[in-house]
């Protein structure tokens, strides 16, 4: 069973083969849990996300299309989306993206471990406000260009342009700082 490809295990899983399901879970459990834990930062919540990811894979195994990507990509995308959803649901009260951006840019790092956070703050503060907001919405809230366009009340193309230009400016800043 362990020598079978991911696609074969998924086909077995879709047909109700418990051994195929077990093999697929064991093959990917560490990666799925690791990704979930990286995103949600809480082991208990990461376990729930990982479990739900495998349940979704089991339920929708027959819908998998190998022409659209590898099983691992499909599984980890499901995990990522569930982890982002879990963070959204966990949040006690909604936060205005402009307030989040203002707080993010104003906070001073407490120690050397916060150096990366400080770099992100400085990089975002160097962007025009609309680009910084778009990137904050995409990165911290996991929003798509379409969601950003709706929230900002702008056309989809404008939202995508803000993201693309903001990311290009951040990339330029990173290259300058790396030497």
């Amino acid at each position: 069973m362990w020598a079978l490809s991911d696609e074969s295990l998924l086909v077995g899983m879709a047909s109700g083969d418990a051994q195929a399901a077990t093999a697929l879970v064991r093959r990917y459990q560490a990666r799925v849990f690791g990704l979930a834990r990286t995103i949600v930062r809480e082991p208990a919540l990461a376990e729930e996300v990982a479990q739900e990811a495998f349940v979704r894979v089991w339920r929708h195994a027959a819908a998998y299309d190998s022409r659209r990507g590898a099983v691992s990509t499909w599984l980890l995308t499901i995990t990522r989306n569930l982890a982002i959803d879990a963070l959204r649901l966990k949040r006690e009260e909604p936060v205005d993206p402009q307030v989040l951006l203002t707080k993010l840019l104003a906070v001073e790092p407490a120690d050397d471990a916060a150096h990366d956070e400080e770099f992100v703050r400085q990089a975002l503060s160097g962007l025009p406000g609309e680009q910084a907001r778009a990137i904050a919405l995409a990165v911290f809230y996991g929003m798509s260009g379409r969601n950003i366009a709706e929230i900002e009340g702008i056309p989809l193309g404008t939202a995508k342009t803000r993201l693309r230009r903001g990311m290009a400016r951040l990339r330029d800043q990173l290259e300058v700082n790396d030497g």
Side-chain angles (χ1 to χ4, degrees), residues 55-133:
V55 168
R56 292 243 179 122
V57 167
W58 173 67
R59 284 185 188 152
H60 302 287
Y64 169 74
D65 182 1
S66 62
R67 296 173 298 193
R68 297 189 68 196
V71 171
S72 60
T73 304
W74 183 63
L75 174 58
L76 294 174
T77 299
I78 290 170
T79 305
R80 177 191 171 274
N81 293 341
L82 287 170
I84 290 170
D85 289 346
L87 286 177
R88 286 181 185 149
L89 290 174
K90 186 181 143 202
R91 200 172 300 121
E92 292 181 17
E93 60 184 61
V95 177
D96 178 13
Q98 185 60 44
V99 172
L100 174 68
L101 188 58
T102 302
K103 287 182 179 179
L104 178 68
L105 296 175
V107 174
E108 292 296 324
D111 56 23
D112 290 337
H115 180 265
D116 290 341
E117 290 179 24
E118 177 61 19
F119 175 76
V120 171
R121 284 186 197 92
Q122 288 177 354
L124 284 175
S125 68
L127 296 177
E130 65 273 357
Q131 290 176 5
R133 268 193 313 280

Side-chain angles (χ1 to χ4, degrees), residues 156-167:
L156 176 59
T158 303
K160 288 181 176 181
T161 298
R162 288 178 181 177
L163 284 168
R164 187 179 66 252
R165 287 182 180 166
M167 292 302 289

